[in-house]
Amino acid sequence: MKREYKGPVQTAASLNGDRFGTGEVQSARATQDRIDIPEFEPNLMPEGDISPDRFLDRELSWLAFNARVLELAEDPDLFLLERVNFLSIFASNLDEFFMVRVAGLKRRIAAGLALPSPAGLSPIEVLEQISDAAHELQARHAHVFASQIRPALAYEHIHLVHWDELDDGAKDQLDKMFAEKMFPILTPLAVDPAHPFPYISGLSLNLAVVVRNPVSDKELFARLKVPDLLPRLVSVDGPRAGTVPGRVARFIPLEEVIAQHLDQLFPGMEVLEHHTFRVTRNEDLEVEEDDAENLLQALEKELLRRRFGPPVRLEVATDINPNVLALLVRELDVEDAEVYRLPAPLDLRGLSVIGQIDRSDLRYPKHLAHTSRDLNESETSKAANVFAAMRRRDILLHHPYDSFSTSVQAFLEQAASDPKVHAIKQTLYRTSGDSPIVDALVDAAEAGKQVLALVEIKARFDEQANISWARKLEQAGVHVVYGIVGLKTHCKLSLVVRQEQDGLRRYCHIGTGNYHPRTARYYEDLGLLTADNQVGEDLSRLFNQLSGYAPKSTFERLLVAPRSVRSGLIERIDAEIANKRAGRPAQVRFKVNSIVDEAIIDSLYRASQAGVEVGIIVRGICSLRPGVPGLSENITVRSMLGRFLEHSRVFTFANGGDPVVYIGSADMMHRNLDRRVEALVQLSNKEDIAEIDNLLDRYLDEGTSSWHLGNDGEWTRHHLDAEGNPLSDVQSWLLANRSRQRSTLRR
């Protein structure tokens, strides 16, 4: 049903005032003052009488995104082990949502700062709607596993078994495993007048155990933590179980093995019953950087405190004793609405153990990334000279279709070993534990080069790993800095300075994804390798701003948050409106992970009202409401989920027939535009611009499988045509046609 929006006008100023969320406005503005960045004021609203409900709630939109992940697990046409992985991803996503977003809402309510969101909902209303949706989604998640995935696995001879289904030989094997690997690290904790209720760490799986003292006939309660250092699902048949079709592979939940040996943990007591439960806590970090003499040390202390955040969710098995549940609710101080009753096994993140089984017939065909055509023109097996290739032309990379190791990684490794390279400057937001990127920086420093690494140690849930790498880099002589106080450094930048015959030349990489070799295999991202003088000058200025004092830096080919990404994009959108009114080609297309920012959304609404065609491709959160008569009928919103995680950020403008394209690290969210250092680079090569335009054409094509967002805020999956045949999958098409796509554009 079409909806005509009418109602009181909500001013841009009022929206801007609560952009950061209640309780965050002052700190964000203080940050802007410290780095001399003027506070942004949206310049215009959509025309006409516009209702405040033109925005969708961001938290509920995120839950809708995770529901799309669940739809993939429900899809019988997908490979079975990929469906298992999507179940695991859903569970992991929801954990983080509760730890950060739900925890933030509860903090706001507790502080009495319960101002409504841009969608017009109070934090209490949002929390209630989250509870309803999350209960439904978790029940659906458990049902998919029990009714679809588990039987399908059994058909393939992969079984999740109970103890009483095992033969004596398997039980003997697990008895030995328990004695050698589990018993020594288990710690039963009694609860009685002498032993207060123990602290339950976040995301830990636990056994609530009821025992009876045969002497006093008194029933007692104890808690036993299931160790998270051991595999969540124990393979009964060895490490290669399940890798051969037809051969039986059995897995048993770790807590079931422990439960069968409780008599060894409570000798002299009678074990009456046991129940599994799991607590999710507020695990977001709060570090006051101005008060921290050493950010590294302050963050390490905060990581220790993270485990003690207040609970936001209690998951229990459906067969739990009501008295035990009442005890947990009372001691953990959770509300009834925060209790999630689910069939065992809890914590289906552990399904990743099964999802990793090496059964090629049950997963996507293996993909071998190819070296970019622009780096592989010699037809020899010798590694390409990345610097020579960059001097020839800009190189647009599209991972994972283009190899990360033979492009970005090779660029930094060659820079580290090249005696003509004098300096390397690098941002690191997330990277892997065995990162060749870090190794290359260490090698460069040890070779006497000037190396600067800007390590973002506040990258959520990667803080501990980043602290470790920061210390390793410092020990090797790398100049390690942590960016600007109050801002996360999220931009993906590399700058190499090389001595050449005609003087110093700068070589640059700007990307949409992290310098993380492992995730580069399954994250879809774009990157630009360029020796363009102007880009080099821009990056030099930006690195100086990040490592020193250069608040007044200006840029030519870059838009840099928090100063110019929002305002720069809105200026481009306004120019498209002017082009449309003048009869020139006008179009706006964004590809992002999330779009929440009200000023950006309102500018897109104004473009739609002016008749500009707007296409949005968003993986996750979308607060924009498309297809509303009089407001957004020219806006189309699509979402892509699949084998690879869609992660690139792209911004294109028709610009009167001379297209403008930016790629970079920024999503359209308040944190990215106001509280992070982000960088977008404008592409200059006509072939690269055409390639991006063709790519977005395919993403938005009606014949491409995707989810469509309606003006009622509901997402609908479109993956079959009228005859029931599968629509084109853009990722599969790129796997098959990436090289052909580039060749066509070069003709």
Side-chain angles (χ1 to χ4, degrees):
M1 182 179 72
K2 290 189 176 181
R3 302 172 65 185
E4 192 81 37
Y5 277 75
K6 294 190 179 295
V9 173
Q10 187 170 358
T11 67
S14 68
L15 287 174
N16 190 41
D18 194 39
R19 173 179 296 120
F20 305 95
T22 307
E24 299 176 352
V25 177
Q26 288 187 338
S27 62
R29 288 176 177 166
T31 295
Q32 292 180 336
D33 292 341
R34 284 196 295 274
I35 62 173
D36 196 27
I37 294 172
E39 184 176 344
F40 177 78
E41 293 290 345
N43 54 352
L44 287 171
M45 288 282 292
E47 299 174 355
D49 292 336
I50 305 301
S51 171
D53 67 353
R54 68 188 184 278
F55 301 119
L56 301 171
D57 183 78
R58 61 157 292 164
E59 317 300 354
L60 300 176
S61 181
W62 186 93
L63 285 173
F65 150 68
N66 214 28
R68 298 197 291 279
V69 175
L70 187 55
E71 283 189 62
L72 292 176
E74 293 170 329
D75 187 346
D77 293 328
L78 286 186
F79 291 97
L80 178 58
L81 292 184
E82 306 300 344
R83 296 175 67 191
V84 171
N85 284 326
F86 281 122
L87 279 181
S88 177
I89 291 168
F90 172 93
S92 181
N93 284 350
L94 200 59
D95 284 348
E96 183 173 336
F97 177 73
F98 272 92
M99 289 189 292
V100 178
R101 302 306 309 177
V102 174
L105 284 168
K106 290 193 67 177
R107 225 174 24 239
R108 226 178 285 177
I109 293 168
L113 299 173
L115 296 177
S117 70
L121 299 174
S122 71
I124 293 176
E125 290 173 321
V126 174
L127 204 57
E128 289 173 348
Q129 293 190 36
I130 285 173
S131 178
D132 291 343
H135 274 89
E136 188 274 329
L137 283 174
Q138 285 209 247
R140 181 172 149 196
H141 180 241
H143 176 74
V144 172
F145 172 67
S147 66
Q148 297 182 33
I149 302 300
R150 195 166 186 167
L153 287 170
Y155 180 80
E156 297 292 343
H157 307 289
I158 301 170
H159 302 273
L160 190 62
V161 298
H162 298 293
W163 182 269
D164 57 11
E165 296 172 335
L166 296 174
D167 54 75
D168 290 342
K171 290 179 180 178
D172 291 342
Q173 174 189 325
L174 291 174
D175 287 341
K176 183 179 179 181
M177 182 186 296
F178 176 83
E180 294 177 354
K181 297 183 178 180
M182 302 180 196
F183 181 81
I185 61 176
L186 292 172
T187 305
L189 297 174
V191 178
D192 57 31
H195 301 86
F197 191 85
Y199 177 78
I200 310 296
S201 54
L203 300 188
S204 64
L205 191 65
N206 302 270
L207 289 175
V209 184
V210 179
V211 298
R212 176 186 290 123
N213 186 327
V215 177
S216 64
D217 199 37
K218 186 175 182 179
E219 292 187 5
L220 301 168
F221 175 86
R223 172 259 187 167
L224 187 64
K225 180 179 178 178
V226 177
D228 49 17
L229 297 176
L230 298 175
R232 175 70 181 81
L233 299 178
V234 179
S235 174
V236 178
D237 303 297
R240 288 189 53 77
T243 58
V244 178
R247 184 178 296 175
V248 172
R250 295 169 296 174
F251 295 86
I252 184 169
L254 179 59
E255 64 271 21
E256 284 210 31
V257 178
I258 295 172
Q260 290 301 318
H261 298 86
L262 288 175
D263 57 330
Q264 299 179 37
L265 295 161
F266 300 94
M269 304 292 282
E270 180 185 356
V271 178
L272 299 179
E273 56 189 85
H274 63 272
H275 309 278
T276 53
F277 71 95
R278 183 170 181 260
V279 176
T280 310
R281 293 184 177 277
N282 171 13
E283 298 200 14
D284 209 7
L285 291 172
E286 296 180 21
V287 177
E288 293 296 334
E289 296 180 47
D290 285 344
D291 300 331
E293 293 183 6
N294 186 313
L295 180 59
L296 205 61
Q297 294 176 0
L299 192 61
E300 287 176 319
K301 291 178 181 178
E302 183 63 26
L303 285 171
L304 292 176
R305 290 210 309 270
R306 169 188 268 180
R307 299 196 302 266
F308 297 90
V312 293
R313 179 179 56 166
L314 171 63
E315 295 169 277
V316 299
T318 50
D319 61 353
I320 192 169
N321 184 313
N323 294 329
V324 173
L325 177 57
L327 171 68
L328 294 175
V329 168
R330 181 179 71 250
E331 295 295 340
L332 292 168
D333 192 24
V334 296
E335 305 290 336
D336 289 341
E338 295 169 331
V339 177
Y340 289 74
R341 300 168 184 261
L342 300 164
L346 302 181
D347 189 11
L348 292 183
R349 292 180 307 167
L351 290 175
S352 60
V353 173
I354 293 176
Q356 293 166 5
I357 292 175
D358 187 14
R359 280 279 298 273
S360 59
D361 58 320
L362 299 181
R363 60 174 66 257
Y364 292 121
K366 286 190 176 180
H367 157 59
L368 179 63
H370 298 287
T371 298
S372 168
R373 171 192 174 93
D374 298 314
L375 292 171
N376 195 28
E377 295 185 353
S378 63
E379 299 293 335
T380 70
S381 58
K382 184 179 179 180
N385 183 320
V386 179
F387 297 116
M390 293 170 69
R391 286 194 294 271
R392 286 193 295 269
R393 57 165 282 130
D394 286 358
I395 300 168
L396 182 66
L397 302 168
H398 196 185
H399 309 298
Y401 315 103
D402 293 329
S403 169
F404 181 86
S405 63
T406 60
S407 57
V408 180
Q409 183 178 322
F411 168 57
L412 292 168
E413 288 174 340
Q414 290 181 23
S417 61
D418 187 342
K420 294 183 180 180
V421 169
H422 290 186
I424 302 174
K425 299 184 180 185
Q426 174 79 45
T427 62
L428 290 174
Y429 189 76
R430 301 186 198 275
T431 191
S432 61
D434 54 351
S435 173
I437 304 297
V438 172
D439 291 342
L441 297 178
V442 169
D443 291 344
E446 292 177 344
K449 304 181 193 301
Q450 293 291 314
V451 182
L452 172 74
L454 198 146
V455 179
E456 182 47 76
I457 56 175
K458 301 186 298 298
R460 182 176 287 155
F461 302 123
D462 273 355
E463 298 92 351
Q464 195 64 59
N466 287 9
I467 287 172
S468 298
W469 287 118
R471 295 203 182 283
K472 178 180 178 180
L473 290 166
E474 286 175 333
Q475 291 167 3
V478 174
H479 300 297
V480 178
V481 296
Y482 307 113
I484 298 172
V485 170
L487 298 176
K488 281 188 180 181
T489 303
H490 189 249
C491 47
K492 326 297 182 183
L493 311 173
S494 296
L495 173 64
V496 172
V497 182
R498 189 173 187 266
Q499 180 66 56
E500 300 186 352
Q501 289 183 346
D502 56 349
L504 293 175
R505 183 189 289 263
R506 285 171 286 211
Y507 295 85
C508 310
H509 174 262
I510 301 175
T512 69
N514 297 306
Y515 292 98
H516 198 309
R518 283 210 295 267
T519 60
R521 297 174 196 150
Y522 56 90
Y523 275 36
E524 178 273 338
D525 272 304
L526 293 163
L528 179 70
L529 288 168
T530 180
D532 179 82
N533 287 333
Q534 188 57 67
V535 175
E537 180 71 22
D538 282 353
L539 284 200
S540 291
R541 291 176 178 174
L542 181 51
F543 271 109
N544 289 342
Q545 185 175 5
L546 294 172
S547 63
Y549 298 104
K552 296 293 187 181
S553 297
T554 58
F555 309 100
E556 296 295 325
R557 289 266 304 271
L558 299 184
L559 296 177
V560 178
R563 180 185 289 273
S564 62
V565 170
R566 180 191 285 111
S567 58
L569 292 177
I570 289 178
E571 286 175 7
R572 285 287 180 186
I573 295 169
D574 288 345
E576 294 304 300
I577 295 173
N579 285 327
K580 183 67 177 180
R581 289 170 176 165
R584 296 186 292 267
Q587 184 186 62
V588 178
R589 298 196 291 192
F590 288 0
K591 181 179 182 294
V592 291
N593 294 298
S594 299
I595 180 164
V596 171
D597 187 75
E598 294 84 21
I600 293 287
I601 292 173
D602 277 344
S603 68
L604 294 172
Y605 285 157
R606 287 188 284 106
S608 173
Q609 290 175 319
V612 177
E613 177 190 323
V614 178
I616 304 295
I617 304 144
V618 58
R619 185 188 83 233
I621 305 170
C622 181
S623 293
L624 181 152
R625 195 187 292 273
V628 178
L631 176 67
S632 57
E633 62 262 49
N634 293 309
I635 301 179
T636 298
V637 179
R638 300 288 184 261
S639 182
M640 306 286 177
L641 299 175
R643 174 176 185 169
F644 305 125
L645 184 138
E646 294 287 336
H647 194 250
S648 63
R649 292 89 165 185
V650 184
F651 308 88
T652 76
F653 306 90
N655 193 39
D658 184 18
V660 171
V661 175
Y662 288 90
I663 65 169
S665 59
D667 280 309
M668 300 296 96
M669 302 181 73
H670 312 137
R671 69 185 187 193
N672 299 86
L673 302 178
D674 296 297
R675 304 194 299 282
R676 290 185 174 184
V677 180
E678 306 276 11
L680 306 181
V681 62
Q682 183 178 346
L683 302 184
S684 61
N685 186 285
K686 298 297 184 183
E687 293 171 351
D688 295 342
I689 292 170
E691 180 179 336
I692 293 296
D693 270 338
N694 289 346
L695 182 65
L696 296 192
D697 284 344
R698 184 162 291 273
Y699 273 100
L700 290 165
D701 191 275
E702 289 296 322
T704 295
S705 176
S706 63
W707 280 263
H708 297 192
L709 179 61
N711 63 17
D712 57 357
E714 296 294 323
W715 290 91
T716 305
R717 190 178 183 192
H718 290 253
H719 64 294
L720 302 173
D721 64 18
E723 286 74 39
N725 301 310
L727 296 176
S728 172
D729 176 75
V730 69
Q731 295 182 353
S732 298
W733 184 89
L734 282 166
L735 284 172
N737 296 280
R738 169 68 174 157
S739 297
R740 190 187 312 165
Q741 177 197 27
R742 303 298 299 276
S743 299
T744 300
L745 292 169
R746 296 293 167 83
R747 289 175 188 161

